[in-house]
Amino acid sequence: MIDVIIIGGGIAGLETACTLHTQGIESLILEKEKEIGGKLTQWDSLFPSNRNAKELVETYKDEIQKHTITVYVNTKVIAIKKQNDGTFEIFTSREIVFKAKTIVIASGYSIFNAERKEEYGYAIYPNVITSADLEHMFATKKELKAPSGRTLERVAFIHCVGSRDEKVGNHYCSRLCCVTGVKQAIKIRQMLPETHVFNFYMDLRMYGLGFEEMYREAQEKHGVQFIRGRVSEIAQTNEGRLQLKAEDTLAARPVRMQVDMVVLLVGMEAPECNSILGKSCNIQYNAAQFIVPQDIHYSSGITSAEGVFVSGTSIAPLSVFDTINHARSTALAVSNFLMPIQNE
Amino acid sequence: MNKFGFSTHASRVIDYETIDTKLISYIVENEPSFASCISCGSCTATCSAANLTYFNIRRLNVQIRLGEFEEIQQEIDKCMLCGKCMLVCPRGINTRNVIMLIKRGLTTLEIKK
Ligand SMILES: Cc1cc2nc3c(=O)[nH]c(=O)nc-3n(C[C@H](O)[C@H](O)[C@H](O)COP(=O)(O)OP(=O)(O)OC[C@H]3O[C@@H](n4cnc5c(N)ncnc54)[C@H](O)[C@@H]3O)c2cc1C
Ligand code: SF4
Ligand code: SF4
Ligand code: SF4
């Protein structure tokens, strides 16, 4: 019987495992992919400090190794069953059934599928990409060009793609796409000083530590232009440029603009497994399928099912900063829960 | 031939292909803080000229970006250079200097009005 099984080896799961270890509690991590690190393995540099994402993942890998925490990769959790004695059986893509006293759900988030916003032409026009694609391009390409090979005279970022949108059923704000748009706009201006960059936004939500400063820097130092208005549609011209339509709501006039590449700032959604795990163990989740903590202020790492905890972006879109802090507090909640059991 | 009296309106669409950016570039070069305007409107709220006339310094920012020089020219002299707008701007923009730069830009730069 293992004390704690952690579902998901993103930074949330990894941090929870490391903090538990320092508390003297051993855990086992189950990760569905072939390596740990979650989304961060795909990102280039992280706001607000510009630090290298791979470097942070490596730091965690070292810690996991140092503490000899066991990780099963290629292991997808498909159901949890609570036993009569309060312990859990965990069913995965492997044949063995895992048994644990407690469970931490750290299954993270999924990226909004931009094809659902057909009017923006993702997967129809080659030069319409997502912020996740651009992050990957930054991380792997030396020279920045549109996917079709065009040089970039003008780039447009579109905010709120898949968030705050009744049409796709996501009412909530993904919270991080605004600052991701600012981070990436700055990066393009630094790599290609001749390129004009425009961000089309509905509201700019710079809620986090250092975000507002980045926004101001984007305006003042990097000349990124922010246009308040939601793009209604994108079409490709005969010359292979992209024509977009919006309203400049501060000028109260429609805008037409041709650009060489469009970056869709895609939102964060709950992964499908949240509702599957939720149902199999009677855990409360909201309409957007994020897991609802028992008390959002006081016990944000505890779920409605006794012995099941939650860590990181399984509860909502969170930055790395917020994810790590949440993961640590969840670890403390788990150790508080296990302490009386261990003292028995 | 019958005349039906049809006509069309000039397009109100902002066309980024034809915008003259000389004035905005000139202002941002000499008063870089101007680029950080967030269109909050507190400058206009405090401005005496705005309270009595159509003059709107917040809107000037947008008009400069879009190269609407005719409207700027018509309005700019209503500013009394009192500097109250500077006192309230949350971004610390030297708005009075912006007005001075607009005036200078309109006379010295080669722009179509
Ligand atoms: C384009 C983009 C750029 C971003 N840039 C930044 C940035 O610069 N700075 C910043 O602070 N934040 C950034 N973020 C946010 C950042 O990605 C998250 O804060 C972070 O990834 C959250 O970590 P997590 O562990 O909660 O989730 P994830 O990274 O999603 O990790 C979850 C893990 O759980 C695994 N898993 C899921 N389901 C199962 C299952 N059923 N069984 C087993 N394993 C499972 C997944 O494979 C994954 O490894 C960005 C987000 C986006 C979309
Ligand atoms: S963070 Fe910004 S881009 Fe993302 S959903 Fe919220 S308002 Fe829209
Ligand atoms: S300086 Fe001009 S714009 Fe500013 S408050 Fe005075 S009159 Fe208004
Ligand atoms: S007060 Fe400053 S930031 Fe606000 S609209 Fe006026 S110039 Fe822009």
Side-chain angles (χ1 to χ4, degrees), chain A residues 12 31-32 39 43 46-47 77 107 109 183 313 318 320:
Chain A
E31 166 56 55
K32 73 171 160 60
K39 302 291 182 304
W43 305 156
L46 298 176
F47 60 74
V77 175
S107 48
Y109 65 95
K183 169 183 89 169
T313 50
L318 300 174
V320 170

Side-chain angles (χ1 to χ4, degrees), chain B residues 36-43 58 61 85 88-91 93 95:
Chain B
S36 72
C37 174
I38 46 174
S39 288
C40 72
S42 62
C43 47
R58 192 272 308 157
N61 172 15
C85 47
V88 294
C89 176
R91 289 293 216 205
I93 300 169
T95 40

Side-chain angles (χ1 to χ4, degrees), chain A residues 159-160 163-164 172-178 203 205 265:
Chain A
H159 288 239
C160 302
S163 312
R164 306 177 69 201
Y172 60 91
C173 161
S174 289
R175 297 173 80 227
L176 301 180
C177 8
C178 270
D203 294 292
R205 299 191 160 165
L265 293 166

Side-chain angles (χ1 to χ4, degrees), chain A residues 178-225:
Chain A
C178 270
V179 62
T180 299
V182 166
K183 169 183 89 169
Q184 296 185 334
I186 292 176
K187 178 102 181 176
I188 291 185
R189 291 283 295 158
Q190 283 171 331
M191 291 173 84
L192 307 167
E194 303 298 317
T195 304
H196 294 273
V197 178
F198 298 86
N199 283 44
F200 288 86
Y201 69 96
M202 301 205 286
D203 294 292
L204 283 174
R205 299 191 160 165
M206 298 296 156
Y207 74 96
L209 207 66
F211 295 3
E212 179 68 15
E213 288 75 1
M214 284 174 67
Y215 167 35
R216 190 159 173 178
E217 205 172 281
Q219 290 179 303
E220 233 176 311
K221 202 163 139 203
H222 303 285
V224 177
Q225 293 192 52

Side-chain angles (χ1 to χ4, degrees), chain A residues 72-85:
Chain A
Y72 278 67
V73 290
N74 298 317
T75 309
K76 183 176 178 180
V77 175
I78 43 187
I80 316 171
K81 282 219 174 70
K82 193 160 190 170
Q83 308 300 296
N84 290 336
D85 62 357

